[in-house]
Amino acid sequence: MKISLETFQEIHNQIWKELGRATQDRHHTWRTPVLTTVGLDGSPNGRTVVLRRCDSHAGLFSIYTDSRSPKVAELKKTPQAQFVFWSTRLNWQLRVRAKVHILTTGALVESVWQQMRHTKSAGDYMTPQAPGASFPSANTHVDQENLDTYFAILQAEVVAFDWLELSRFGHRRAQFCDNTWQWVSP
Ligand SMILES: Cc1cc2nc3c(=O)[nH]c(=O)nc-3n(C[C@H](O)[C@H](O)[C@H](O)COP(=O)(O)O)c2cc1C
């Protein structure tokens, strides 16, 4: 479906609408963006993640992860990250520069975990081995009392959008930063 958007406000609103839809619709291609962080050695490190929550009013979206995963250590050191989304339906690429907050405690973490803890997905955050740990590990002991302590929410606070629309009538690209949109060369 081709969406005809003329104004920056329309583009801005549609971006947030699509991000919101992607958290609900398993088939939305924006559901699985690439999150790129700065590695501990300074090199870029990208990986696919699942978009879980979105709050357009606060300018936030979130993914869930294991607090032991290397990306969490990277984000602790450098909280700046880039998310890249591509949609074949929209013909849109969206690059998002974000400041990432790591939430491991608090009301939001607690309420999400309570909803999730008896589902299959909970297992992703309860493995005895940390993601990225060498395998097999000498220590495979499962601490049954603390199985839920590895769940974390990575909350991305949007700093900038780089929006690219591919079209046979001419590509369009616009950037949003400091509350201002501007057209740039595609
Ligand atoms: C389709 C897909 C979705 C994924 N979703 C997530 C996710 O939401 N959270 C996550 O931590 N890892 C997710 N992963 C795994 C990451 O891509 C990555 O392999 C893992 O988190 C380890 O990354 P790190 O070593 O850079 O921390 C997903 C992988 C794929 C292929």
Side-chain angles (χ1 to χ4, degrees):
M1 184 189 59
K2 174 90 178 77
I3 303 174
S4 180
L5 302 175
E6 298 305 328
T7 68
F8 287 139
Q9 193 59 52
E10 285 175 328
I11 293 168
H12 193 91
N13 292 348
Q14 196 63 35
I15 284 172
W16 279 106
K17 201 181 262 185
E18 297 294 342
L19 288 171
R21 282 181 183 157
T23 65
Q24 306 294 324
D25 177 359
R26 286 176 176 277
H27 303 293
H28 198 302
T29 46
W30 277 12
R31 189 170 175 82
T32 47
V34 171
L35 160 62
T36 301
T37 49
V38 179
L40 296 179
D41 62 359
S43 57
N45 203 2
R47 81 286 286 161
T48 311
V49 291
V50 177
L51 192 67
R52 300 287 186 176
R53 305 175 69 83
C54 177
D55 180 343
S56 59
H57 298 293
L60 301 169
F61 57 79
S62 305
I63 69 152
Y64 300 161
T65 196
D66 185 312
S67 59
R68 301 166 297 173
S69 67
K71 72 178 88 46
V72 172
E74 292 171 1
L75 286 163
K76 268 185 194 153
K77 188 176 174 206
T78 311
Q80 282 78 31
Q82 188 187 58
F83 289 81
V84 181
F85 302 79
W86 160 243
S87 166
T88 42
R89 174 176 59 88
L90 300 162
N91 268 335
W92 287 5
Q93 171 184 263
L94 180 70
R95 292 191 288 174
V96 182
R97 200 147 48 83
K99 178 173 183 194
V100 180
H101 306 270
I102 303 161
L103 310 182
T104 53
T105 57
L108 180 63
V109 173
E110 200 47 42
S111 89
V112 172
W113 181 250
Q114 287 311 323
Q115 287 170 34
M116 192 197 288
R117 63 179 303 148
H118 298 301
T119 68
K120 226 173 111 195
S121 307
D124 293 347
Y125 313 103
M126 295 159 69
T127 59
Q129 287 188 312
S134 306
F135 188 82
S137 162
N139 179 13
T140 53
H141 172 69
V142 182
D143 183 351
Q144 295 291 343
E145 294 304 312
N146 290 305
L147 278 179
D148 59 351
T149 55
Y150 308 125
F151 176 68
I153 298 177
L154 299 182
Q155 197 172 61
E157 178 187 336
V158 172
V159 173
F161 286 136
D162 184 314
W163 173 84
L164 172 67
E165 179 185 59
L166 300 184
S167 165
R168 61 198 156 100
F169 304 109
H171 306 328
R172 293 192 301 169
R173 183 174 170 200
Q175 289 178 337
F176 173 77
C177 194
D178 295 331
N179 256 337
T180 308
W181 276 98
Q182 61 172 355
W183 293 112
V184 293
S185 173

